Amino acid sequence: MSELYIVGTPIGNLDDITFRAIETFKKVDFIACEDTRHTLQLLNHFEIKKPLISCRAQNEKFAGEKIVQLLKEGHSVAYASDAGTPGISDPGAVLVDVVREAGFRIIPIPGASAFATLISAAGSGGKTLIFEGFLSPKPGRRRSRLRELLATGDAVIIYESPFRITKLLSDIADIDSERRLVVGRELTKLHEEIISGSAGELQEEFLGRDSIKGEFAIFISGTKNVQLLCEASDN
């Protein structure tokens, strides 16, 4: 049957791949991916050989139309981004729209996600959590959006690169230096680091480092949950 499988892959530790993901890669006719070189390494590790199709952010709609044609011909296709679950700050959403509009079934194959990984170790999430992904690299837009996010009172998850993490932490500290953060660096990888503290404390911590490497996920605690706990303790 012609179906598109959206496959979650490891974000760093190959042992995090699921049996279902491996079996999906083995059974489909084609594998579309964000970076063919990256996905080829993953497939080689599990001794899987399939024709690969490039489907990255820059050509996602065009690649989606090619994939629709393959589906019309009766082929099945799996899609994987470079790491984690497609569509979460990674390509995949446009492809899904194109394929669904063409009338074909979309089957999600759950997998690892930096978003879910950090939440599981953060605590104090509250009832509502905002996933923002990457903020604008432009300082004014970044700070403006941060003010909006912190003003909601909800917990927030943000992604950031090693090149801008100190700027992000400084911006948060300028807005609310006491806001509790949990910073995950290189999640699931060999040098994984998860540290927590106030925005001011973590700003000083990272500004004091000689070098910073790895991708970051940042959990910003909400204030609504704190208010609810205080109200409950008063009653």
Side-chain angles (χ1 to χ4, degrees):
M1 181 179 290
S2 300
E3 297 166 327
L4 173 67
Y5 296 85
I6 303 298
V7 184
T9 55
I11 58 176
N13 191 324
L14 287 179
D15 289 341
D16 289 337
I17 198 164
T18 66
F19 289 118
R20 193 178 175 202
I22 293 174
E23 290 305 311
T24 298
F25 285 142
K26 287 180 178 179
K27 77 178 183 181
V28 296
D29 300 310
F30 293 87
I31 297 175
C33 42
E34 182 180 359
D35 186 326
T36 55
R37 296 165 299 179
H38 185 93
T39 301
L40 183 60
Q41 293 179 349
L42 176 68
L43 297 175
N44 285 341
H45 181 81
F46 293 103
E47 300 181 344
I48 300 171
K49 297 185 181 297
K50 296 287 177 174
L52 301 181
I53 303 168
S54 172
C55 182
R56 58 192 190 280
Q58 294 81 358
N59 75 338
E60 194 171 351
K61 190 174 188 303
F62 176 74
E65 292 167 352
K66 290 175 60 178
I67 290 167
V68 165
Q69 185 57 44
L70 290 172
L71 295 170
K72 288 179 177 178
E73 294 170 2
H75 299 293
S76 57
V77 182
Y79 179 72
S81 56
D82 284 353
T85 301
I88 305 179
S89 285
D90 276 339
V94 173
L95 171 62
V96 166
D97 284 341
V98 171
V99 171
R100 179 171 286 118
E101 187 175 343
F104 293 97
R105 186 182 176 196
I106 314 292
I107 302 176
I109 309 297
S113 164
F115 168 75
T117 300
L118 184 61
I119 291 171
S120 70
S124 304
K127 293 181 65 176
T128 304
L129 177 66
I130 299 172
F131 174 67
E132 184 69 11
F134 288 94
L135 292 169
S136 171
K138 296 183 178 180
R141 291 184 181 179
R142 184 177 62 245
R143 287 192 287 266
S144 177
R145 183 56 180 155
L146 277 172
R147 290 190 187 94
E148 293 175 353
L149 292 168
L150 269 64
T152 67
D154 294 317
V156 181
I157 291 277
I158 291 172
Y159 288 168
E160 192 52 274
S161 74
F163 310 108
R164 290 194 297 270
I165 184 63
T166 55
K167 295 177 182 178
L168 174 67
L169 293 174
S170 294
D171 287 342
I172 297 173
D174 286 344
I175 298 169
D176 184 351
S177 64
E178 296 303 314
R179 187 69 67 100
R180 176 178 173 270
L181 308 181
V182 180
V183 175
R185 183 181 69 85
E186 291 287 84
L187 291 173
T188 80
K189 300 178 183 179
L190 180 63
H191 300 292
E192 176 183 82
E193 179 182 25
I194 300 175
I195 59 175
S196 64
S198 70
E201 290 169 342
L202 294 186
Q203 174 194 22
E204 292 183 8
E205 162 67 27
F206 281 92
L207 284 174
R209 296 190 178 190
D210 293 332
S211 65
I212 300 175
K213 298 179 180 179
E215 296 299 315
F216 287 82
I218 302 93
F219 172 90
I220 305 174
S221 65
T223 56
K224 288 180 181 177
N225 198 40
V226 174
Q227 291 169 356
L228 289 173
L229 289 174
C230 291
E231 290 171 2
S233 63
D234 291 340
N235 293 332

